[in-house]
Amino acid sequence: QSALTQPASVSGSPGQSITISCTGTSSDVGGYNYVSWYQQHPGKAPKLMIYEVSNRPSGVSNRFSGSKSGNTASLTISGLQAEDEADYYCSSYTSSSSLVFGTGTKVTVL
Amino acid sequence: EVQLVESGGGLVQPGRSLRLSCAASGFTFDDYAMHWVRQAPGKGLEWVSGISWNSGSIGYADSVKGRFTISRDNAKNSLYLQMNSLRAEDTALYYCAKDMSDYIWGSYHYWGQGTLVTVSS
């Protein structure tokens, strides 16, 4: 159950688009369409932003989108806003019938 | 409104036990899988354990397998985590989370505010 690999930090200016990668293996990200993404502001509980690779829960801005290619999933935030500054985590179901999170990415709005 | 309220955290000595509870409301509890996720101070998220709607499927992280036991009481709309043989590295904020599905696929739709467990002598 090794953590999925994410970049430690990603930054962008307001209005720009950024993409966060989440790399696993064929036993997790590559093998299942149960990849999700979470946003966490300091001192707050995480919030589901994307589920099953590319689906947005009700109430989540359409500026957030998800995709997957092979063993790597991606979260794209378009039209970056100050409120998007937070930590982001990916998660995937695994072949061991367990779950694993990514290492986390700090998004900074310049 | 979905509400998940964790309780049972606190300061405990290494090797001792603790039982966490999560009281759920605002949704049909026995329609959904549930999970425990923890976050050590200043660190990332770590999935601890998950249980399907009818307790038929249960999973654990390798780090807690054999020491922690997850359970649920659908009649009481409650989720539990029995933690035995606690170690310093189990110190974390423990979140209860509701899945979007009845199986432990891991789309954590709603989260509680967490209960803090500190393992120290």
Side-chain angles (χ1 to χ4, degrees), chain A residues 1 32 34-36 38 40 43-48 50-52 57-58 89 91-93 97-103, chain B residues 35 37 39 43-47 50 58-63 65 95 99-100 103-109 111-113:
Chain A
Q1 291 176 347
Y32 301 90
Y34 289 100
V35 177
S36 50
Y38 302 86
Q40 187 179 33
K44 300 294 188 182
K47 175 185 177 183
L48 177 66
I50 296 289
Y51 67 99
E52 294 174 17
S58 174
Y89 297 89
S91 173
S92 176
Y93 184 76
S97 300
S98 64
L99 292 144
V100 62
F101 279 99
T103 50
Chain B
H35 302 266
V37 175
Q39 188 168 33
K43 302 297 185 182
L45 300 172
E46 180 186 17
W47 176 78
I58 288 176
Y60 297 97
D62 288 344
S63 57
K65 202 171 292 183
Y95 292 104
D99 205 298
M100 295 189 85
Y103 181 75
I104 50 171
W105 293 119
S107 298
Y108 316 102
H109 196 189
W111 298 66
Q113 287 305 303

Side-chain angles (χ1 to χ4, degrees), chain A residues 45-68:
Chain A
K47 175 185 177 183
L48 177 66
M49 305 303 285
I50 296 289
Y51 67 99
E52 294 174 17
V53 176
S54 60
N55 296 302
R56 272 188 313 275
S58 174
V60 171
S61 171
N62 59 9
R63 297 186 298 105
F64 292 84
S65 61
S67 63
K68 188 182 84 166

Side-chain angles (χ1 to χ4, degrees), chain A residues 4-39:
Chain A
L4 307 174
T5 301
Q6 298 181 231
S9 63
V10 173
S11 61
S13 299
Q16 287 188 328
S17 292
I18 62 169
T19 296
I20 304 168
S21 61
C22 169
T23 301
T25 69
S26 58
S27 295
D28 38 63
V29 174
Y32 301 90
N33 286 326
Y34 289 100
V35 177
S36 50
W37 290 90
Y38 302 86
Q39 176 192 66

Side-chain angles (χ1 to χ4, degrees), chain B residues 30-121:
Chain B
D30 55 11
D31 277 351
Y32 297 94
M34 298 293 295
H35 302 266
W36 289 100
V37 175
R38 69 185 181 184
Q39 188 168 33
K43 302 297 185 182
L45 300 172
E46 180 186 17
W47 176 78
V48 173
S49 182
I51 185 168
S52 63
W53 70 280
N54 64 351
S55 305
S57 294
I58 288 176
Y60 297 97
D62 288 344
S63 57
V64 307
K65 202 171 292 183
R67 300 187 300 122
F68 290 11
T69 302
I70 191 171
S71 62
R72 64 190 294 162
D73 185 336
N74 287 345
K76 295 183 177 180
N77 290 349
S78 293
L79 176 72
Y80 306 101
L81 186 68
Q82 177 67 41
M83 305 186 295
N84 299 331
S85 304
L86 282 161
R87 307 167 179 166
E89 53 265 37
D90 295 319
T91 294
L93 185 64
Y94 284 73
Y95 292 104
C96 165
K98 170 190 170 294
D99 205 298
M100 295 189 85
S101 168
D102 58 2
Y103 181 75
I104 50 171
W105 293 119
S107 298
Y108 316 102
H109 196 189
Y110 289 96
W111 298 66
Q113 287 305 303
T115 186
L116 183 62
V117 173
T118 303
V119 184
S120 174
S121 54

